[in-house]
Structures are given as C-alpha cells and as structure tokens.
Amino acid sequence: MSDRILGVCGILLALFFIWAATIIKLSFISDPIGPKTFPFIIGGLFGLSSLAIFLRPDARPSWPSMTGLAELAGGLAVMVAYVYLLPAIGFVISTAFASAVLSWRLGANLSGAAAAGIATAGGIYTVFHLILGLTLATGPWGF
Amino acid sequence: MDSFANLMHGFDVAITFQNIGLALIGCFLGTIIGALPGLGPSNGVAILLPLAFSLGLDATPALILLTSVYYGAMYGGRISSILLNIPGDEPALMTTLDGYPMARAGRAGEALALSGIASFVGAFFATIGLAILAPQLVKVALLFGPAEYFALFALAFATLGGISSTNQAKSAWAAAFGLGIAMIGVDGQTGVPRFAFEQIHLYDGIDFLVAIVGLFALSEVLIFLEHSGGRSAKALAAQTNKSQIAIGRPVASFALLKFCTPAIARSTVIGFLAGVLPGAGASLGSFLAYATEKQVSNGGDTFGKGDPRGVAAPEAGNNAAAGGALVPMLALGVPGSGTTAVLLAVLLALNVTPGPLLFTNSPDIVWGLIAALFIANVMLLLLNLPLVGLFARVLLIPAKYLMPLVAMVSFVGIYGVSGSTFDLLVMVLFGVIGWVLRKLDIPLVPIIMGILLGNLMEANLRRAMTISNGDWSALYGSYLSIGLWIFAIVGFFLPVFVGRKIKNKMHAKTVSDKTTGS
C-alpha cells in the first residue's frame, strides 16, 4: 500500500513538475531546445517510474508505531525550534538545549542528557569557533 | 613512466605540514566514523564536507582531509564487525562472517591486525591502479563530445542502482527526483528562473550541500530517534558481548600473513575491478572477494567458523574497491558509488570541475590527492595496529550521546556555509524526506547524483543540440556514444532479471554462514 501511495504522489508531482515547466518564461537568448525540454524529459521519467512503482509495489515497509512517530515528531520539533532559536539566543545556549533534549529522547537520563548537552555545545564551540575560527550564530550575549 | 613523474610531483604538493596534519586528522576521524555502527563513509564525509568548506580550506587540502576520512572509514568498518558482530558500515558486512568467530575464539587481536594489513595491501595496490588506470581513461574521455557526455551521464544513472538492485523503478524514481531538484533556480544558459515560483530563496537553486547533509546525516538521526527504545536495548546487549571479548595483542604472525597472502592478492584484484566498474562498488567487492576465496579454498568448510582468510579477503576487497571507485570519479567526473558522489560534491563545492580536463588543468589537485592517498594509507596502517584498542573503546559511546552530536555538527556545518536559517530548514526537510524514502526502500545516492549532475547533464544535452542544430539523432551519432547507450540500457535492465537472485545469494550467505558459524 505504501508503494501505491508513493506511486500516486509521484505521478501527481510529475504532472505538477511538467505543468511548472510549461510556464517557464522564455528569454530572448535561446538555444535549439531551450530551458523547457530537459525538465519535460525528467518529468516524463519521474511519472513513468512512479507508474511502475504503483503497478508493482514492494512488500509493506515497517512503519514506526504511534510512539515511534511521536518521538520523531518531537525530535523534528526540537530541530525546527533550534533553527529559530539560533539567531535569537546564540549558538551555545540553543545547542546545549537542543542536544540535551535529543539525547534525553534517545534514552539518556535527565542529568546525563544535561551534561551531554553542555559538553556538546561547549565542545563544538571550543573546537570550531575558538580553535578553528568558524563563524557560529551569536546571540545577544556574544556567544 | 609519465604517471610516475606526475606522482612524484604529487608528493611535492602533498607533503606540507598542513596537508600531513589534515591527513592524520582525517584518518583518525575516518577510522572512528567507520567503526561506529550507523555512521559509514558516505555520511561521515557528508557531515565533514560543509565544515571543510566553511573553514576556507583550498581544494587540495580539503580533498586530502575528506579522502583520508573516506579511506579511514573503510579501515574502521572492520573493528565493530570483528568485535561486536555488527558491521560498522555496509562493505564491512562480510567481515563479520569470520571476524566475529575469530574474536570469540580469543583471536580478536590477530583478526584486527590481519584485517588491518589486508586493508593496507588492498588500498595500496588500488591506489597504484588508480595512478596507472585513471590517466589512460582520461585519454579516452578526451575524445568525448557533449553527446557522449550526455550518454555517459545516462550510463552512470542507469547503473547506479547496482547489479544487486531489486527494484529499478525506484532507482529511476530517485534519479529523476534528484534531477528535478537540480532544475530549480535560474537557468544557467538563458538566465530565466525555473521552478522558483517567485521565491527569492529559490533563485540560486537548492544547495547540494544542504541536501546531502540532510539526506545522509539527519535522516540517520531520525532513524535512531524512531528506534530509541529498541536500539538502546540492542546496544546494551552488544556492550555486554563486547566485555567478554578481550582484544589481546594486535599482532599477526608471519606464518598467518603468508597463509593469507594469496587470498589478499586475489581479493585486491577483484575489489579494484568491482570499484572501477559502474554499478558494483565496495559492498559487492567484498562479497565477491569472500565468495571467491570460499570457492578457491578446499571445500571452504572452515569459512564462517573463523577462517583468517575469510577476514583478510573481504577487507582487502572493500579497501581495493574504495580506491578503484576513485578512477571514474577523477577521470570522468562521474562517480559510481555513494561516497564518491559525496567526494564529487567536494570538488564542485570548491569550484573544481571534475572530468578529464582536471588532469591537464589542475595536475596539482589530482596528483596531490593520489599522493595523499598513499600517505594516508601508511598512516592508517600505523594508526590502526597500535591504536586499535582506543578505536574499539570509541564503540562504547552510546548513540544517545553520539547522535545529538552528529545532528549539531550538521547544523554547524551548513550554518557555516550559508549562514541562513532558510537553508537549515531545508536541511531538516531533506532529513525527513531521507527518512521517508529510506523506509520505502528508495536509494538516496541517485538523488544526490541527480542534484549534483543535473545541470551538467542538461548543459551537455543542450550543447549537443546546439551543435547539431536541434537534430536529436546526434545523441547516438558516434560509435562511442552508441556503445555508452548500449551499456546504459543493458546496465539498467540486467538487474531486473538477475538482481533479486544476486541479492538473495548475498543475503543467504550472511544468514547461513552466521548460523553455521555460531
């Protein structure tokens, strides 16, 4: 079933892609086949392979349980929050927070996760910023 | 002898304080990355790639660092195969068959030393093969026009799924997906935006670094999150297993080496060829090497029960394949495996155009790199024999501390390259896409290849069409291009008939040998 859904989504995506290729505006500079032809070929290939997957699906993959999905959603939420916090509160604090939450969700206990978060943030800051001079996000406190 | 002079020049380039230091760091990190289950050569190089880039390294030092990681990971994969019966990366799968039984029999140190030496021999001769074969291939490649290049790209995509692929539709799907992503952004030839939907962020296209790190590194973190309950239990079991196995002195006796020499020699040749040919790669190289040794040895009934030849053969095979895989990547600019695709990304990120002209235009880069491979290889041998105990201890770092570090280093790398929050979000999105597609058994490597090579492939098609004034028959107008198309078509459809058989054989081998071995 999963492969059939993938096939249908793929066909829809291929149609969308081909439609989006038709609205590419042509420029006054041009070559014999122009900027649309190759996208049409790709769209066709994408559609055909989606159709093949739809017609001959593989066995059902092992999707995670509801708890597994919840873990994933939580982990993703942490990563997205991290991206937005990075410019706001700086690298060290946001990284310590994000890696602590991730390692807690991967099975560390609370104190272990906190220590891991601080060590990860401090370690990366020391190695990449202080030693190697890489630019990291700076927050209001300068780190 | 031309190659030899070039190679000497390469050593001149490679032997600087900075380059040797980078090679050492790369070898060390690479061995650790290879040893850690869940991190293999391609995601290891993927994580470090944006870092090498944002640290502002030149092309040669950056390549030296990352290819040292690549070779190092090939060495490191064997450590957890032997000690924990868990392959550190995919090509090291075959090493578990005899490596773990040897370790259980109290010969872990011997197995590690032997496999280290076999890895060295495989990689060393493959690097010599690379230095000899790549310039020859360049001579052929210089005859290529745009039409031949277009056919060559088609060949690369058609064979990427590999001979053991069970679903070619999915390989084609992945390639088209990647090519489609490459089309986003301003068209290089006419300057019109495509698939950007008036979004300024999309005018530059999707940065392939963002896609690679998302697909390879973040999706791995997501897999661990999904299994967080079950995985920690498994890791615990592995640890208790480990504590029973003492490494012992990592020394292989001369008699043992002599006993294994024919196996190592044959495996090196097989592995190298598997690496050079499209659609094979290191995993198949180590499988073929192991299977051949089993055939050649008398009856093969000691294989799977801790036969040292069964440790030496796959390790020589996969390290030789790693060197062989660099031949098409450097000479043609068309990678044949996941890790070499990531290395191609290194070249592109550094504004170095891969392909035959690389050898004439930037001999410093090519020969410096090949010289660095020799240096890295010697370093790896020296690092791996005495320090194997240290590397083995790294295996004890649990995923719950390691995976957040992997995620954070990925973010740091991409942030260092672009400094944009938008790119970080795109990377997370690619992480999710990577996770879903891995679940659905869609290969990720063709996607990366599509993103990397899409614009180049299109440029060659349009150049060919401009030359022929829009006549499509120009695409198969020379014997060379006809040959390439035939290979592409055969390479794509052959696995449809034999892929499942080969896959089953590989699978059956590991399963049956494991049951008889334990």
Side-chain angles (χ1 to χ4, degrees), chain B residues 423-440:
Chain B
D423 279 352
L424 293 181
L425 289 176
V426 174
M427 178 177 80
V428 175
L429 177 67
F430 271 103
V432 178
I433 293 174
W435 180 80
V436 173
L437 296 183
R438 277 163 80 153
K439 283 279 157 187
L440 291 167

Side-chain angles (χ1 to χ4, degrees), chain B residues 33 39 42-52 212-213 217 406 409-410 413:
Chain B
I33 285 168
L39 284 182
S42 32
N43 31 34
V45 179
I47 297 166
L48 295 176
L49 164 59
L51 284 174
I212 288 177
V213 178
V406 168
V409 171
S410 307

Side-chain angles (χ1 to χ4, degrees), chain B residues 222-449:
Chain B
L222 294 177
I223 297 240
F224 272 87
L225 268 174
E226 175 199 346
H227 292 291
S228 51
R231 190 70 68 117
S232 51
K234 213 192 274 170
L236 201 70
Q239 273 181 39
T240 43
N241 246 342
K242 159 105 184 26
S243 55
Q244 292 167 0
I245 290 174
I247 295 173
R249 260 158 50 88
V251 180
S253 70
F254 186 69
L256 182 68
L257 286 178
K258 204 173 155 194
F259 175 63
C260 293
T261 301
I264 294 176
R266 278 189 293 267
S267 304
T268 299
V269 176
I270 293 171
F272 181 72
L273 292 177
V276 174
L277 292 175
S283 301
L284 199 72
S286 69
F287 166 72
L288 289 175
Y290 186 87
T292 312
E293 283 319 306
K294 203 174 169 178
Q295 286 289 322
V296 169
S297 74
N298 37 5
D301 51 350
T302 54
F303 274 71
K305 296 174 189 160
D307 190 312
R309 286 170 299 180
V311 176
E315 280 304 309
N318 73 33
N319 283 276
L326 290 174
V327 174
M329 200 280 276
L330 283 176
L332 304 174
V334 177
S337 70
T339 323
T340 44
V342 181
L343 289 174
L344 180 76
V346 181
L347 289 173
L348 293 173
L350 296 161
N351 269 330
V352 177
T353 314
L357 291 177
L358 187 63
F359 277 75
T360 39
N361 293 349
S362 340
D364 278 11
I365 293 182
V366 179
W367 292 102
L369 171 68
I370 294 176
L373 289 175
F374 280 110
I375 297 169
N377 205 14
V378 174
M379 275 182 187
L380 279 165
L381 184 69
L382 296 178
L383 275 178
N384 267 275
L385 291 183
L387 293 184
V388 76
L390 175 73
F391 289 123
R393 219 158 292 143
V394 173
L395 295 177
L396 295 174
I397 299 178
K400 59 190 175 190
Y401 301 129
L402 182 73
M403 282 299 147
L405 180 67
V406 168
M408 293 302 133
V409 171
S410 307
F411 279 105
V412 168
I414 294 301
Y415 189 83
V417 173
S418 71
S420 110
T421 320
F422 178 77
D423 279 352
L424 293 181
L425 289 176
V426 174
M427 178 177 80
V428 175
L429 177 67
F430 271 103
V432 178
I433 293 174
W435 180 80
V436 173
L437 296 183
R438 277 163 80 153
K439 283 279 157 187
L440 291 167
D441 222 3
I442 302 250
L444 299 182
V445 175
I447 301 180
I448 298 292
M449 287 265 287

